[in-house]
């Protein structure tokens, strides 16, 4: 029976027709068109199959964007085959379209095609964003949306004799970094050519609906680029436009309008196409394309999701939105709209704002992929003495000049303490609740506090924290006190200090030690960046202190505080030291002391 150990069932070698295209001939011959269409369909079929293995594993995979841009990729490969005047790298500023890079890696022989069937599998080195030096055949790290075009400008400056291409999207073009990159490209007349997939779909919806007035072609033309707007599924028009920008002197773009995932019945034109194609939809598509069940169904149904050893997992990011709703429920609709604004950056389903949008649309502002601007907008709303702005994003996006972000670091290992970067006369508060119940308690306590003006709250997937007798630690009767460390259990032998998603894991280890007769205590530190002098002195006077958390190991958390107070317990530190390999539950293993 076919499985992921079998040979890749779609013959990628049948694309080896060595098609070459000459931009001075903008009209395709019948043979060229036939070959292009064959290659496009073959690679799209392969991409649907192997990205669906991500869905079968219970992880993400982002099928639609990579599927969309296969025509552009095939044309670029034909240009690279024809001449050395092109830099032969398919840069892509939409990092989640990483399936394209893995497909190219297989075509180039860097990985065997059958390895594609391990897409997003733990330890497969096929994570959700491309990472240079980590995955064979990958030629760049994409970073988050908006980082690639500025980098490609630098590549063009370093290779002035070459034409440099970059795939883009209507989502990535919303970022402020792209506006800056456009100005530089025009000012320096860089030989950068953009191929923009304008499918009107992002994570949370359709830009034409939530960002009215936004037009990719007009925006780029306004910056001074030469722009051709075509229907992306019209291969003759697409090639003619690409030929035109290649022969144009200076920066230029093709904006290819199409539905998301054209021809894939269950996800075409919908936000569902942004993420991984469901297994049933992939089987339906491949069956309609004429492939036998051995190519799709037998492979995909034999893949099983990884089991999670914890039975009480909950998503704090969802609970965050629900906790905000509990606060808003106490206000009238009119009072809530007057007092609170919640602004989204196309991440409402990922950061918990969706439940606020659904229950309290009067406070919700849908916006584009514009974190820097939206953060400042939230701050501006809260500038009034009796108004409060709410903004959310991934912690990896706190500083918009992070150059490399992938699934291996996006939700794990990034050190968030650079958010606490003010001088000593300005205090920010970094809250990291340990479980959903503490999340609710934190929101209830701090939401309408006027000072400090900046409060950062972290959400994650974790288990409910239980006492030794099985009752909920943060249940009825618990009150959160900002800046106060919490003693989960006292210990004479020493203390483990933890927070967030590592607290329940640390608690499991502490309980095991206590059952073996080692009297170890546990401290929860829900306010990361403030010192609780009383607790610090208590643990600093004990035989040892072991800090356990999922941020990276570099800062040596709490060590300096102890030294400054002449407290000298044996000190150990467990933090992230290398990239993870898959889901959070697997990445937790990438810790060391």
């Amino acid at each position: 029976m076919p499985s992921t150990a079998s040979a890749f069932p779609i013959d990628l070698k049948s694309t080896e027709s060595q098609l070459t295209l000459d931009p001075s001939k903008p009209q395709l011959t019948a043979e060229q068109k036939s070959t292009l269409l064959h290659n496009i369909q073959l690679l799209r079929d392969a991409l649907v199959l192997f990205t669906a293995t991500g869905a079968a594993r219970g992880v993400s995979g982002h099928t639609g964007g990579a599927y969309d841009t296969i025509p552009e990729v095939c044309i670029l490969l034909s240009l690279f085959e024809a001449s050395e005047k092109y830099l032969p790298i398919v840069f892509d500023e939409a990092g989640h379209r990483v399936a394209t890079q893995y497909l190219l890696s297989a075509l180039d022989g860097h990985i065997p095609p059958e390895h594609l069937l391990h897409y997003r599998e733990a330890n497969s080195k096929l994570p959700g964003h491309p990472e240079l030096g980590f995955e064979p055949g990958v030629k760049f790290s994409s970073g988050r949306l908006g980082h690639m075009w500025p980098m490609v400008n630098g590549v063009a400056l370093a290779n002035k004799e070459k034409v440099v291409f970059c795939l883009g999207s209507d989502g990535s073009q919303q970022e402020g970094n792209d506006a800056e990159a456009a100005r530089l490209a025009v000012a320096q007349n860089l030989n950068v050519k953009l191929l923009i997939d304008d499918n009107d779909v992002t994570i949370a919806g359709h830009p034409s609906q939530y960002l009215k007035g936004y037009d990719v072609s007009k925006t780029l033309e306004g910056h001074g680029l030469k722009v051709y707007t075509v229907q992306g599924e019209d291969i003759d028009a697409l090639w003619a436009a690409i030929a035109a920008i290649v022969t144009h002197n200076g920066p230029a773009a093709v904006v290819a309008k199409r539905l998301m995932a054209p021809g894939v019945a269950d996800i075409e034109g919908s936000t569902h196409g942004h993420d991984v194609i469901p297994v049933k939809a992939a089987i339906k598509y491949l069956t309609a394309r004429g492939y036998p069940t051995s190519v799709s169904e037998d492979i995909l149904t034999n893949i099983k999701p990884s089991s999670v050893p914890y039975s009480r997992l909950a998503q704090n990011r969802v609970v965050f939105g629900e906790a905000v709703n509990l606060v808003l429920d106490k206000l009238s609709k009119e009072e809530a709209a007057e007092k609170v604004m919640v602004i989204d950056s196309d991440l409402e389903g990922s950061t918990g704002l969706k439940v606020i949008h659904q229950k309290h649309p009067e406070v919700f502002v849908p916006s584009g992929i514009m974190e820097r601007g939206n953060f400042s907008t939230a701050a501006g709303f809260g500038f009034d003495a009796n108004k409060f702005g709410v903004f959310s994003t991934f912690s990896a996006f706190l500083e918009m000049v992070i150059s490399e972000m992938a699934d291996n670091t996006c939700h794990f290992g990034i050190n968030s303490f650079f958010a606490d970067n003010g001088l000593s006369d300005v205090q920010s508060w970094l809250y990291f609740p340990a479980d959903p119940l503490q999340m609710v308690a934190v929101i209830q306590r701090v939401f309408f506090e006027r000072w400090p003006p900046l409060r950062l709250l972290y959400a994650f997937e974790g288990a409910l924290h239980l006492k030794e007798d099985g009752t909920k630690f943060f249940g009825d009767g618990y009150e959160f006190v900002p800046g106060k460390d919490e003693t989960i259990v006292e210990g004479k032998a020493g203390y483990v200090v933890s927070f967030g998603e590592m607290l329940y894991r640390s608690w499991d280890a502490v309980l095991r030690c206590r059952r073996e007769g080692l009297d170890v205590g546990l401290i929860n530190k829900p306010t990361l960046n403030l010192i609780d002098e009383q607790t610090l002195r208590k643990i600093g006077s004990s035989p040892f202190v072991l800090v356990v958390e999922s941020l990276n190991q570099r800062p040596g958390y709490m060590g300096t505080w102890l030294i400054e107070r002449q407290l000298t317990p044996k000190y150990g530190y467990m933090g992230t030291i290398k990239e993870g390999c898959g889901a959070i539950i697997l990445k937790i293993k990438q810790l060391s002391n």
Side-chain angles (χ1 to χ4, degrees), residues 23-349:
S24 67
K25 301 175 181 178
Q27 185 172 351
L28 294 170
T29 66
E31 182 180 0
Q32 287 173 329
K33 182 176 181 178
S34 175
T35 300
L36 261 182
L37 291 175
H38 167 79
N39 290 348
I40 290 167
Q41 191 61 67
L42 184 84
L43 295 187
R44 279 180 162 174
D45 293 348
L47 191 140
V48 166
L49 173 61
F50 79 79
T51 58
T53 66
R57 292 185 177 90
V59 296
S60 185
H62 297 293
T63 302
Y67 181 97
D68 283 4
T69 54
I70 289 296
E72 290 91 322
V73 169
C74 287
I75 288 174
L76 291 185
L77 294 180
S78 297
L79 287 173
F80 296 165
E81 187 69 29
S83 173
E84 294 184 356
K85 71 178 182 179
Y86 310 106
L87 192 72
I89 300 176
V90 183
F91 289 110
D92 191 343
E93 64 175 346
H96 51 268
R97 291 194 299 222
V98 68
T100 302
Q101 304 307 318
Y102 299 149
L103 191 56
L104 291 174
S105 181
L107 289 173
D108 289 341
H110 295 289
I111 60 174
E114 53 267 23
H115 189 58
L116 295 172
L117 297 175
H118 298 272
Y119 181 62
R120 302 299 302 277
E121 181 180 308
N123 298 304
S124 68
K125 294 190 175 182
L126 299 177
H129 286 73
E131 296 180 64
L132 180 65
F134 182 72
E135 301 121 18
V138 170
K139 298 176 181 179
F140 63 93
S141 297
S142 74
R144 46 150 298 109
L145 293 181
H147 280 300
M148 203 71 240
W149 186 0
M151 176 183 163
V152 167
N153 279 351
V155 173
L157 284 166
N159 296 271
K160 294 182 179 180
E161 75 287 357
K162 300 284 189 180
V163 177
V164 184
F165 293 96
C166 182
L167 298 179
S169 67
D170 53 339
S172 59
Q173 286 292 312
Q174 294 176 25
E175 288 284 9
N177 281 4
D178 274 10
E180 298 171 11
R183 289 193 290 271
L184 178 64
V186 171
Q188 296 296 322
N189 200 40
L190 300 180
N191 211 6
V192 171
K193 315 298 179 182
L194 303 179
L195 306 179
I196 309 296
D197 176 31
D198 189 0
N199 57 31
D200 195 33
V201 169
T202 57
I203 297 174
H206 305 281
S208 60
Q209 297 175 11
Y210 67 71
L211 203 62
K212 293 184 183 299
Y214 170 60
D215 185 295
V216 177
S217 297
K218 290 181 179 179
T219 299
L220 292 174
E221 288 172 345
H223 284 301
L225 277 80
K226 182 66 175 178
V227 179
Y228 294 85
T229 303
V230 299
Q231 294 300 313
E233 295 305 292
D234 182 341
I235 195 66
D236 292 297
L238 182 63
W239 163 241
I242 292 176
I245 66 169
V246 168
T247 55
H248 174 76
N249 179 27
V254 172
V255 176
K257 290 185 172 294
R258 56 166 65 89
L259 295 174
M260 166 74 83
V264 186
D266 289 356
I267 62 174
E268 181 183 79
S270 76
T271 56
H272 299 296
H274 175 84
D275 208 324
V276 66
I277 185 171
V279 169
K280 288 183 179 180
I283 292 173
K284 178 179 177 180
Y285 167 85
L286 291 167
T287 301
R289 289 279 305 125
Y291 291 98
T293 57
S294 60
V295 171
S296 57
E297 187 170 356
D298 290 351
I299 290 176
L300 295 176
T301 56
N302 279 320
I303 300 172
K304 305 301 178 185
S306 300
S307 60
V308 177
Y310 296 95
S311 61
R312 302 184 306 278
L313 289 179
Q315 292 185 317
N316 253 10
R317 59 185 178 179
V318 175
V319 175
F320 166 77
E322 294 170 345
V324 172
N325 280 343
L326 290 175
V327 173
L328 297 174
D329 289 345
K330 300 174 184 178
L331 308 176
S332 68
K333 297 292 185 182
E334 293 75 19
E335 186 180 6
E338 178 69 21
K339 195 171 185 177
V340 177
M341 182 203 67
V342 178
I343 190 166
D344 177 48
S345 299
D346 192 52
L347 290 172
E348 63 175 276

